[in-house]
Amino acid sequence: MKKFLMAAAIGIVTGAVATTQVAAPLLAQQNDDSSSVYEQLDLFGDIFERIRAQYVEEVETDELIEAAINGMLTSLDPHSSYLSPDDAENMQVQTRGEFGGLGIEVTQEDGFVKVVSPMDGTPADQAGIEAGDYITHVDGESVLGLTLNDAVDLMRGPVGSEIVITVVREGRAEPFDVSIIRDTIELTAVRARTERDTVVLRVTTFNDNTYPNLESSLEEQVEKIGGMDQVSGVVLDLRNNPGGLLSQAIKVADAFLDKGEIVSTRGREPQDGDRFNATPGDLAEGKPIVVLINGGSASASEIVAGALQDHNRAIVVGTKSFGKGSVQTVMPLRGNGAIRLTTARYYTPSGRSIQALGVSPDILVTQPSRSDDTAEDEETTPRPGRSENDLRGRLSNDSLSEEERRQIEEDRKQAEEAAKLREEDYQLAYAVDILRGLSVMGGNGN
């Protein structure tokens, strides 16, 4: 508040100085602008009264006003909107990590609802919804022409109820229906596991729990491996992460950076800009990092990926991210409603905006689609090759100690596990292989 008050005071002083020099032209311009605004407001009032009096059906006054407000906001960009009291409350609940619904982050494009990303483990994810899908109908009702909020309202419903959405997907010739059972969405902000000697941190969203979960999960996995000395690196998996709180994105990036800028925001006026810098301390202790992204990585995910990429702290692997480079501020209104208004653009440390462009990976690695996985012909699957070890009556190797034999068997087991991971998640397996290679070569990620 102090910042805005200071900005207002400066504006008043500057205005006073300007008036003493060009008073007549400025006053004339202000009068012209004011009269134009009042004429437009009078026009709005005329249309409002005409609708109330002559529309074919009686309409609720508050609904008309809400629709007018929302229309004004949505005409600005896809992310500005009016939030009714219920919507405003739902948004606050989401940042705490639990809410009801399908589990998809959506935006609007060409009049249809576009999936930014399904959230891990949610009904939408389990039903096979993918980032980039277009939702054209909900229970047979077209969403074309609806506002994004209205379309989302159609998808809401009681937990346990069924919804059928019609999906258009690139690469599929015809639209198809997907049946989903609504459920309570309990988001686990960070899921952690170990692949060989690599810690994998799957960040699904940026809510109030993200950084605390990340810190504790990393500590737990490192302890399980046997200490940071035994860790080859960290995979930060941001695929299909639709974003969330800017403050949490800054904390996650800061977790792996010792210094330098993380992100800057630039608003309409120069004084509205802000810059966020890293503080000393690296949770990974300099170990190399691979960040995984795809077309479902948006907003806060792109802030983290862009910051670590610009500082050469991580190798970014996957496909181009979504490209949402704007900041929305939620402003409470009287009556418990709110508006979500785009107030700034954000920029990576190198000064690049990712708005509509996204973060480009350092290494482009596409993930085979689910249909490709199931369509593989068994006849094309290579058979395991024969080796000297398979021959009957072979000579034994007398140059190996028992410890060396044990190490060979362990390496072979790890190779088999790596091959299995490539079948399950090719992009993640690629990231683990990179870190393994850097570890062998003695890379430290700096």
Side-chain angles (χ1 to χ4, degrees), residues 138-214:
V138 175
D139 288 331
E141 183 176 345
S142 174
V143 300
L144 185 64
L146 296 180
T147 66
L148 184 60
N149 282 344
D150 288 341
V152 170
D153 285 341
L154 281 180
M155 290 185 275
R156 290 192 177 126
V159 170
S161 61
E162 183 182 17
I163 179 176
V164 177
I165 60 175
T166 303
V167 174
V168 172
R169 178 176 296 166
E170 186 177 356
R172 296 280 293 265
E174 298 291 336
F176 58 95
D177 290 339
V178 178
S179 175
I180 306 176
I181 304 299
R182 298 179 178 95
D183 200 357
T184 299
I185 310 302
E186 296 182 6
L187 290 180
T188 302
V190 180
R191 294 187 178 94
R193 73 179 198 263
T194 300
E195 291 291 344
R196 291 186 274 176
D197 51 2
T198 297
V199 176
V200 180
L201 299 172
R202 170 79 180 109
V203 182
T204 60
T205 187
F206 288 89
N207 60 28
D208 288 334
N209 301 319
T210 301
Y211 178 74
N213 287 172
L214 180 105

Side-chain angles (χ1 to χ4, degrees), residues 19 54 127 172 189 197 278 321 388 405 414 426 440:
T19 302
Q54 299 181 12
R172 296 280 293 265
D197 51 2
S321 64
E388 174 74 13
R405 291 178 188 276
Q414 289 185 359
Y426 183 74
V440 171

Side-chain angles (χ1 to χ4, degrees), residues 195-196 410 412-422:
E195 291 291 344
R196 291 186 274 176
E410 181 66 24
R412 182 177 299 166
K413 182 180 178 181
Q414 289 185 359
E416 290 173 355
E417 291 176 352
K420 182 180 178 182
L421 181 61
R422 277 192 288 273

